[in-house]
Amino acid sequence: MAEAKAYAAYNATDPLAPFNLDRREVGEHDVQIAIRYCGVCHSDLHQVRNEWGGTMYPLVPGHEIVGTVTKVGSKVTKFKEGDLAGVGCFVDSCRTCPSCQEGLEQYCEKGMVGTYNGTERDGTTKTYGGYSSQIVVDENYTLKVPENLDLSRVAPLLCAGITTYSPIMQWKIGQGHKVGIVGLGGLGHMAVKIAAAKGADVTVLSTSPDKEKDARDLGAHNFAVSKDKETVKSLYNTFDFIINTVSAPHDYNLFLSMLKRDGTMILLGAPPEPSPVAGFSLIGKRRRLAGSLIGGIAETQEMLDFCSEHNIMSDVEVINMDEINTAYDRMMRSDVKYRFVIDMETL
């Protein structure tokens, strides 16, 4: 066992604080990674505060992990010491179900093994995330990180990047499509960058008029204030796709009305309460309402390679480890452009 330093939540209400944990020994197919940066996802906050239920304390969050390989198992073929490597939202799956066999491990029928707040396949060993000095992961669930990108800005690609890339690829969104992006936060700003790089005509749909400059700087071609009734009316039957990244309660029907016939709205955000959908919002124009969850290992690697080729990275604010509680408070106020990333050398 190797001792690692970390920051953990000990309960749902107290601030995160220092914590020591033991990582497993490096097995035949494992890589050990010294973590250099870890992104801060809004789901970290949900888990820390047990807002989704089932949080196992002490909890070490973090599933946007990048670092350097420091040790490899005897049968590892994909990595060597000194390589840059990344770990996303899960670190294992059953490997045998249809979804796993198709490279869609995120939909594993037996449940993927979360990078944190989960248990290893033995059913008892807890998983701890990336707010820590190092991690040990099977090479088949580890990503190769491109060397031409700013490592701190790569970290959020392992959640925000793949969460937006996967539906864009699934629905083959690109040249000739009009795409609306609802929300301009951690997910939304990556959706703008990736959809624009794929050749789509991108419109950001936001309740905040002051986000227009940012939206255009990120690559959006158009901007619309979704709480302006006349603007909404002018956008009826406009979009081939809408990528909805908002997790706060809002009116799905408003955005469904903006889809063309046979258009699709893809949900990436999950509001805490069910959102009513009027039947005729779908029926009248044969519209579709769909959802998408991160991506499999192969697709995540594909996303990283695509971002490397197109110089796409997340816009981040790098913080020290002891600033995490302040970052959580700011994140609740949407006071970040667009992702906090922890410099793990400050741990």
Side-chain angles (χ1 to χ4, degrees):
M1 305 288 280
E3 187 174 82
K5 295 179 181 179
Y7 256 56
Y10 289 85
N11 55 56
T13 55
D14 290 339
L16 274 70
F19 176 68
N20 290 328
L21 63 96
D22 289 324
R23 296 292 189 186
R24 69 169 184 263
E25 291 295 335
V26 176
E28 290 180 336
H29 296 283
D30 289 336
V31 296
Q32 182 183 66
I33 301 167
I35 301 173
R36 293 169 61 180
Y37 295 97
C38 184
V40 180
C41 179
H42 208 282
S43 61
D44 296 346
L45 182 58
H46 288 306
Q47 298 271 31
V48 163
R49 298 184 176 178
N50 198 26
E51 292 173 350
W52 292 342
T55 297
M56 299 182 290
Y57 299 105
L59 173 83
V60 176
H63 58 209
E64 300 176 345
I65 300 165
V66 291
T68 304
V69 175
T70 54
K71 189 175 182 179
V72 298
S74 60
K75 295 186 178 179
V76 168
T77 60
K78 299 177 182 178
F79 295 89
K80 63 181 185 303
E81 290 184 21
D83 285 351
L84 295 178
V87 180
C89 298
F90 59 95
V91 291
D92 211 337
S93 62
C94 82
R95 310 186 187 206
T96 59
C97 73
S99 291
C100 287
Q101 290 291 301
E102 293 173 40
L104 298 169
E105 298 96 342
Q106 74 272 34
Y107 301 119
C108 176
E109 274 81 348
K110 297 181 182 178
M112 62 183 180
V113 175
T115 302
Y116 68 88
N117 199 44
T119 55
E120 298 278 5
R121 292 173 68 203
D122 63 13
T124 58
T125 305
K126 285 182 63 174
T127 59
Y128 294 107
Y131 296 10
S132 58
S133 56
Q134 55 120 317
I135 192 169
V136 177
V137 181
D138 187 296
E139 66 169 330
N140 293 305
Y141 292 79
T142 306
L143 290 310
K144 293 181 178 293
V145 173
E147 295 189 358
N148 64 310
L149 301 178
D150 180 338
L151 202 59
S152 67
R153 297 180 64 191
V154 168
L157 299 182
L158 295 167
C159 178
I162 186 56
T163 298
T164 49
Y165 181 87
S166 186
I168 287 170
M169 296 304 293
Q170 172 64 26
W171 278 273
K172 298 179 173 59
I173 298 171
Q175 194 75 36
H177 291 139
K178 289 185 179 294
V179 180
I181 309 294
V182 183
L184 195 65
L187 289 176
H189 92 289
M190 289 307 308
V192 170
K193 291 186 178 192
I194 294 171
K198 286 289 185 180
D201 183 281
V202 177
T203 299
V204 168
L205 303 165
S206 175
T207 59
S208 304
D210 59 358
K211 288 190 175 182
E212 179 168 4
K213 182 180 185 303
D214 280 0
R216 294 186 184 277
D217 288 347
L218 289 165
H221 305 91
N222 308 287
F223 182 88
V225 179
S226 57
K227 62 183 178 182
D228 182 278
K229 291 182 179 180
E230 290 304 312
T231 298
V232 170
K233 189 175 180 180
S234 72
L235 292 173
Y236 286 169
N237 306 310
T238 294
F239 299 109
D240 299 289
F241 299 95
I242 291 176
I243 299 175
N244 190 332
T245 70
V246 174
S247 291
H250 62 288
D251 184 5
Y252 286 175
N253 301 290
L254 175 75
F255 297 106
L256 288 169
S257 72
M258 300 181 193
L259 290 172
K260 294 178 181 177
R261 188 202 72 230
D262 293 326
T264 302
M265 181 162 78
I266 305 154
L267 301 181
L268 304 183
E273 299 295 332
S275 300
V277 175
F280 279 107
S281 293
L282 302 174
I283 293 169
K285 293 287 183 179
R286 202 164 60 189
R287 296 168 175 137
R288 292 175 288 267
L289 181 61
S292 182
L293 175 71
I294 52 173
I297 296 298
E299 189 174 54
T300 304
Q301 187 64 60
E302 178 186 294
M303 176 275 303
L304 287 170
D305 296 341
F306 177 84
C307 289
S308 174
E309 180 183 351
H310 294 271
N311 199 37
I312 294 173
M313 293 170 282
S314 183
D315 288 22
V316 306
E317 180 178 336
V318 178
I319 62 170
N320 293 341
M321 186 70 256
D322 63 7
E323 297 176 289
I324 187 61
N325 295 299
T326 300
Y328 275 15
D329 290 340
R330 287 181 55 194
M331 194 160 57
M332 286 295 292
R333 304 193 302 270
S334 299
D335 179 24
V336 56
K337 290 185 179 178
Y338 283 93
R339 206 68 152 190
F340 286 117
V341 173
I342 306 164
D343 179 352
M344 297 312 303
E345 289 187 2
T346 66
L347 178 62

